[in-house]
Amino acid sequence: MNNHDSETSGGHVLLFDRDPDSIELFKSVFDTTGLTVISVTDKESGIEELGSGAVKLVLAAVDFPRYPGFVLLQDSISDNRTIPVVILSPKQEDMLKAIRSGATDFFRKPLNRTEIIHRIPILLENAKKYQVSVPMGMTTDILSKLERENKEMNDLLRISSSLDVSIDSKMILKRLTDLAAESMNCEAASIMMKNDRENVLEFVVATGEKEERLETMSVPMGEGIAGWVALYGKPQIVNDTEKDERFTGKIDEESGFITRQILAVPMNLDNEIIGVLEVINTKDNRTLTSEDLRILIDITDRAAKVIGTIKKIESQHNFYIQTTNILVKAIEKKDMFADGHSWKVAELCHKIGSALSLSENDMNDLYYGALLHDIGKLEMPCTLLNKRNITDREKEYLKQHTIKGAKLLEPIIMWKSVVPCILYHHESWDGSGYPYGRSGESIPLLARVINLAESFTVMRSSNTYKRQMTLKEAILEVMRSSGKQFDPELVKVLIIVLEKDTFSKNM
């Protein structure tokens, strides 16, 4: 984290929380970043500090007296403050509310030091983006050419900050249509994508009062102004739809919207028209001009790039999933005792990871690490894997599957982050495991989770070479091994997960 020092030195992290443990933890973890954590004791001093201009990041507890985190967050958005806000709450259900409300992150209490340290670089990066971006709620009247140009520049900055493919792709496109409508002070905007199979344009996202109705509609290629633009690939400015013979009014009839003006631009990706972006009806009844067209072409180009990026990511993700499935099936085909084993381990790992409130990246690594934990067995003979009675020498050879698996995945970029899961998933809390005899927290957390989940799954499986244990027997066995093979804290989490599962099944 030291590489952030020069960029953040002298700034403040403002903490709205009276919990001494939280204050101490945040002060210690931010100490190496060059940021000073300032904890406030009341609403007034906090608001005064917010106005100082030195605050880079706000940490807001939902139970802060007289100024709870969600109220602070709403005030920040309403006042157009360019400071990221992180919500702190003991309730996991507050996470979705925080993200929906515009928080940049969420930490569940009691705070997890490891998670916070892991998230700090991302928080600081977000803080830098906020400093150069324009508030999402900003609206500006277009009074002069100079104001229009300034607003255009600010909008493009906001578009750039919108190109975050980690969030929902439809949300990104929704931001772009919002910006298109706002930039030209129009009543509505929409993105329509070509459906080559049906030979129509389909509304993907729309703004304005009829957006929900519009998103269920489609336009035949070549029909209407948007259909004409998609067919011929030429942008069109129509300031009076009643005088344009291409305008059919069918969408207006179905949606209840009245279209007076249209500015439509074809969306190109790799020299192919993939859709149309359009804005409708200036709010001040001004005439749409070539300057508006230039701005919309810029926004449309960025929308096309977003769609192109999304398609590549979806393609890579699909390849990633399918390749993983193929490998897991290959492992299970080789080992007669492993039918469905990897999937069951991954499912239990996901439940434990959720209970631990792991980050999204850690959850992904845990899931795929669990699926591929036995990949090293692909380099071992089937006859050995399927023997019921093996010699000590053969047992030692089988233990090499962790190292072999790690070596198989280590050169592959998309699986590099799961290598520690593969390598250390047979290490034990007391140091008696393999391949290196690591102990305690020197074993990566995700590997400790997989060790516990795999062992419990084997105990409860009817496919293994051992007798299937009852749920009670398996739980007692895990508890007996707590502090020996298994991390004691993870054992507690597993029990909670199993209790929830049992309760839900009995509902």
Side-chain angles (χ1 to χ4, degrees), residues 15-134:
L15 176 60
F16 287 80
D17 196 343
R18 288 185 175 181
D19 176 29
D21 290 338
S22 298
I23 295 170
E24 182 182 352
L25 175 57
F26 281 120
K27 283 186 175 180
S28 65
V29 297
F30 277 99
D31 183 56
T32 59
T33 67
L35 289 170
T36 302
V37 174
I38 296 180
S39 60
V40 295
T41 56
D42 55 69
K43 175 182 178 180
E44 287 72 21
S45 61
I47 292 176
E48 183 179 352
E49 187 64 37
L50 276 171
S52 69
V55 179
K56 308 295 185 185
L57 180 68
V58 174
L59 305 167
V62 295
D63 57 355
F64 189 79
R66 294 184 56 230
Y67 207 32
F70 284 114
V71 174
L72 187 157
L73 177 61
Q74 188 57 49
D75 286 352
S76 294
I77 294 170
S78 299
D79 296 342
N80 292 329
R81 293 185 195 136
T82 56
I83 306 172
V85 177
V86 177
I87 294 295
L88 315 174
S89 172
K91 299 179 181 179
Q92 181 65 19
E93 56 265 31
D94 280 343
M95 179 181 67
L96 288 177
K97 180 181 177 182
I99 301 305
R100 285 197 304 267
S101 300
T104 191
D105 211 329
F106 172 88
F107 290 138
R108 187 177 180 184
K109 288 186 167 185
L111 299 170
N112 183 313
R113 184 185 185 89
T114 302
E115 179 192 4
I116 293 171
I117 291 173
H118 172 74
R119 293 292 297 175
I120 280 179
I122 301 170
L123 290 175
L124 298 185
E125 187 63 29
N126 284 341
K128 287 193 296 179
K129 288 180 181 178
Y130 269 73
Q131 291 166 33
V132 298
S133 65
V134 177

Side-chain angles (χ1 to χ4, degrees), residues 5 75 79 91 165 243 292 335 396 402 457 505:
D5 289 357
D75 286 352
D79 296 342
K91 299 179 181 179
V165 293
K243 295 180 179 179
D292 295 303
D335 185 349
E396 290 303 311
T402 57
T457 301
K505 288 175 182 176

Side-chain angles (χ1 to χ4, degrees), residues 11-298:
H12 297 161
V13 174
L14 194 57
L15 176 60
F16 287 80
D17 196 343
R18 288 185 175 181
D19 176 29
D21 290 338
S22 298
I23 295 170
E24 182 182 352
L25 175 57
F26 281 120
K27 283 186 175 180
S28 65
V29 297
F30 277 99
D31 183 56
T32 59
T33 67
L35 289 170
T36 302
V37 174
I38 296 180
S39 60
V40 295
T41 56
D42 55 69
K43 175 182 178 180
E44 287 72 21
S45 61
I47 292 176
E48 183 179 352
E49 187 64 37
L50 276 171
S52 69
V55 179
K56 308 295 185 185
L57 180 68
V58 174
L59 305 167
V62 295
D63 57 355
F64 189 79
R66 294 184 56 230
Y67 207 32
F70 284 114
V71 174
L72 187 157
L73 177 61
Q74 188 57 49
D75 286 352
S76 294
I77 294 170
S78 299
D79 296 342
N80 292 329
R81 293 185 195 136
T82 56
I83 306 172
V85 177
V86 177
I87 294 295
L88 315 174
S89 172
K91 299 179 181 179
Q92 181 65 19
E93 56 265 31
D94 280 343
M95 179 181 67
L96 288 177
K97 180 181 177 182
I99 301 305
R100 285 197 304 267
S101 300
T104 191
D105 211 329
F106 172 88
F107 290 138
R108 187 177 180 184
K109 288 186 167 185
L111 299 170
N112 183 313
R113 184 185 185 89
T114 302
E115 179 192 4
I116 293 171
I117 291 173
H118 172 74
R119 293 292 297 175
I120 280 179
I122 301 170
L123 290 175
L124 298 185
E125 187 63 29
N126 284 341
K128 287 193 296 179
K129 288 180 181 178
Y130 269 73
Q131 291 166 33
V132 298
S133 65
V134 177
M136 289 299 293
M138 175 180 176
T139 55
T140 305
D141 291 331
I142 305 177
L143 302 175
S144 67
K145 189 170 187 279
L146 178 60
E147 286 182 350
R148 289 283 304 279
E149 290 174 352
N150 286 339
K151 189 175 190 312
E152 177 189 347
M153 182 59 67
N154 288 334
D155 284 344
L156 292 180
L157 283 173
R158 286 167 60 186
I159 291 169
S160 297
S161 67
S162 294
L163 304 185
D164 176 3
V165 293
S166 65
I167 66 175
D168 182 73
S169 57
K170 187 172 180 178
M171 182 63 72
I172 300 172
L173 297 177
K174 181 69 165 61
R175 286 185 186 179
L176 289 166
T177 52
D178 286 340
L179 287 167
E182 187 181 327
S183 297
M184 278 154 278
N185 198 26
C186 286
E187 292 178 2
S190 62
I191 291 178
M192 291 172 277
M193 299 292 295
K194 279 177 62 178
N195 181 332
D196 290 321
R197 182 179 300 174
E198 303 292 334
N199 199 34
V200 296
L201 286 174
E202 295 177 334
F203 284 88
V204 177
V205 290
T207 67
E209 59 181 25
K210 305 295 183 181
E211 62 180 275
E212 291 184 5
R213 184 74 184 94
L214 283 172
E215 289 179 12
T216 65
M217 299 180 184
S218 61
V219 176
M221 287 290 292
E223 185 174 295
I225 295 168
W228 188 94
V229 169
L231 183 63
Y232 294 101
K234 297 178 181 180
Q236 293 293 294
I237 301 174
V238 178
N239 277 301
D240 187 349
T241 55
E242 289 185 0
K243 295 180 179 179
D244 194 302
E245 61 183 18
R246 295 170 298 182
F247 182 70
T248 65
K250 290 181 180 179
I251 295 297
D252 283 7
E253 290 175 11
E254 292 185 50
S255 67
F257 192 85
I258 299 175
T259 303
R260 304 184 308 274
Q261 300 167 290
I262 294 178
L263 170 54
V265 174
M267 191 179 301
N268 289 281
L269 181 64
D270 298 329
N271 297 317
E272 178 184 352
I273 297 173
I274 60 171
V276 173
L277 195 157
E278 66 177 10
V279 292
I280 298 174
N281 299 350
T282 56
K283 291 181 179 178
D284 53 3
N285 293 318
R286 67 178 179 83
T287 300
L288 290 165
T289 67
S290 58
E291 180 68 10
D292 295 303
L293 175 60
R294 187 180 67 80
I295 294 172
L296 193 60
I297 287 173
D298 272 345

